Amino acid sequence: MEQKETQNINPTEQAEAKGAPDAGTASEKTDINKLDIKGGKGAPETGAVELPSLELLEAELKKEQYKRSYRRVLKSTAFSLMVVAAVAVLIAVLLLPVLQISGTSMTDTLQNEDIVVAVNSSKFKTGDVVAFYYNNNILIKRVIASSGDWVDIDEDGNVYVNDVRLEEPYVKELALGECDIDLPYQVPDKKCFVMGDHRATSIDSRSTAVGCVSDDAVVGKILFRVWPLSEIGFVK
């Protein structure tokens, strides 16, 4: 029988034969392990990402919520102001026109540049101060008589309606003024006869240039004076 040859292999050579790392490789691995432990989870210190703190996140969240709330409040306020402005315009145009006096035909009741508020109404009576359209302007006079009434004025400026003299405490100085209509005069249907309180200078229904005022042309009855502040109050 042939005896198998036994070959003594040096342990070092056996390790090399099995592919074990050499001493230099083991040393490098040891250094790498040290690096892993030092850096934490295998990442170098210089590359670590620092997460924001909880307090910082809460502060940023509150800031963003404040911005959103501010924008909502701003939009809501702007919308409310637009609605209020639109309503004010509608009221001023349709229900309570605001007018400024120009001229002296209504002194001493109303002065030049006074600001008054009218109420939109088709119901007015003798003695009411009304605003009405005339040649693309708005005039302000006092109602003297309504449709069907007879108006007469004597040389001294005393006014009679249906043969009854009017008591006019609002007139400081009576005068016939500019009158070119035939007296006595009957007010046409759906119209009213108007005169200014300053009888000597006012151009009104006594003149054919103005004539009687149609009910449809009346803007409203002058209700309140808002300027000047020293004269604020109801207009009589």
Side-chain angles (χ1 to χ4, degrees):
M1 296 180 59
E2 294 182 359
Q3 294 182 352
K4 294 182 179 180
E5 293 183 359
T6 59
Q7 183 177 0
N8 295 329
I9 299 175
N10 189 283
T12 303
E13 295 176 354
Q14 185 178 6
E16 291 177 354
K18 292 182 179 180
D22 56 12
T25 304
S27 176
E28 289 177 2
K29 183 175 182 180
T30 302
D31 292 339
I32 291 173
N33 290 337
K34 290 181 180 179
L35 181 62
D36 291 345
I37 295 172
K38 184 178 181 181
K41 296 184 179 180
E45 288 184 347
T46 55
V49 178
E50 183 179 356
L51 296 176
S53 64
L54 181 61
E55 291 79 5
L56 182 59
L57 291 175
E58 290 179 347
E60 290 296 326
L61 179 60
K62 289 181 179 179
K63 186 184 296 184
E64 189 65 27
Q65 289 175 343
Y66 174 79
K67 289 180 180 179
R68 292 180 180 179
S69 176
Y70 179 79
R71 285 194 291 266
R72 285 197 301 267
V73 171
L74 186 62
K75 290 179 180 179
S76 177
T77 302
F79 179 77
S80 299
L81 290 176
M82 288 189 292
V83 171
V84 170
V87 171
V89 170
L90 288 175
I91 291 175
V93 173
L94 300 178
L95 299 178
L96 297 172
V98 179
L99 307 170
Q100 185 173 35
I101 306 299
S102 178
T104 60
S105 68
M106 283 298 293
T107 56
D108 290 331
T109 303
L110 297 172
Q111 306 295 332
N112 185 42
E113 296 186 350
D114 283 359
I115 297 177
V116 296
V117 175
V119 58
N120 191 354
S121 175
S122 58
K123 297 180 180 180
F124 37 85
K125 61 184 185 301
T126 299
D128 288 343
V129 179
V130 297
F132 59 93
Y133 290 108
Y134 173 74
N135 287 347
N136 296 324
N137 293 315
I138 296 180
L139 303 182
I140 295 179
K141 307 291 181 183
R142 191 179 295 273
V143 175
I144 300 300
S146 301
S147 61
D149 291 338
W150 285 90
V151 178
D152 198 4
I153 308 172
D154 63 21
E155 293 294 331
D156 296 326
N158 295 301
V159 179
Y160 298 84
V161 177
N162 299 326
D163 296 328
V164 177
R165 181 183 172 183
L166 293 183
E167 295 294 334
E168 301 184 284
Y170 40 79
V171 178
K172 299 300 182 182
E173 184 178 351
L174 294 173
L176 179 59
E178 184 173 334
C179 181
D180 60 2
I181 61 173
D182 295 330
L183 297 172
Y185 177 86
Q186 186 175 28
V187 182
D189 187 34
K190 295 183 180 180
K191 292 190 176 183
C192 60
F193 192 96
V194 298
M195 296 173 66
D197 289 353
H198 194 194
R199 298 292 166 79
T201 62
S202 176
I203 307 298
D204 44 48
S205 295
R206 293 172 294 176
S207 170
T208 54
V210 176
C212 290
V213 177
S214 171
D215 293 348
D216 296 336
V218 175
V219 176
K221 180 171 66 175
I222 304 300
L223 184 67
F224 202 77
R225 173 167 35 201
V226 297
W227 185 265
L229 295 178
S230 59
E231 299 293 332
I232 191 170
F234 289 98
V235 175
K236 298 180 180 179

